[in-house]
Amino acid sequence: MAQATRPVRGVVFDNNGIPMAGATLTAVGSTDSKSSGADGTFEMMVSPYTKFIEASKEGFISAQAEVDGSYLVFKLQVDKKYAENKAKAEAKAKAEEERRIAAEKAAAEKT
């Protein structure tokens, strides 16, 4: 017999209070997930045993909220370490690309 489900609704904002599209909402302890829409809202069906929903998005610190029948509101904070590490990785990749181009140019000048 199929297990009954229940709806969970809510919205995800970034740390500036702007609705966040594309955040992933996951029922903790299961693989049930949904993405927030362009206006940051979501609706998903979960098991009656689901206690928490987790909101996550790359570059932000994940947050959990208890499923208590109310409209869930998430406000995700920027993960500063993620931003720093991403900037370092991008700078390193750019430097490597510049070295590669310089090496190719030097090789072409020799011929």
Side-chain angles (χ1 to χ4, degrees):
M1 185 176 273
Q3 184 176 358
T5 59
R6 63 184 167 145
V8 175
R9 294 175 184 86
V11 65
V12 184
F13 295 102
D14 69 11
N15 55 310
N16 295 315
I18 297 170
M20 183 180 286
T24 300
L25 292 301
T26 305
V28 175
S30 81
T31 58
D32 297 336
S33 66
K34 183 82 173 185
S35 292
S36 59
D39 59 356
T41 62
F42 67 92
E43 180 176 347
M44 60 191 296
M45 300 301 288
V46 300
S47 157
Y49 305 107
T50 298
K51 299 287 186 197
F52 294 94
I53 299 293
E54 180 175 79
S56 61
K57 186 164 183 174
E58 186 175 2
F60 291 84
I61 298 170
S62 299
Q64 288 188 3
E66 186 172 0
V67 177
D68 61 4
S70 65
Y71 191 78
L72 302 180
V73 177
F74 293 93
K75 189 171 184 182
L76 300 185
Q77 301 296 317
V78 171
D79 184 345
K80 292 180 182 172
K81 289 209 180 277
Y82 173 87
E84 290 171 8
N85 290 338
K86 185 174 181 180
K88 286 178 186 177
E90 288 172 352
K92 182 179 177 182
K94 182 178 178 183
E96 288 173 359
E97 179 68 7
E98 288 172 352
R99 279 193 294 274
R100 183 189 65 76
I101 291 170
E104 288 177 1
K105 184 177 178 183
E109 289 175 353
K110 285 184 180 181
T111 58

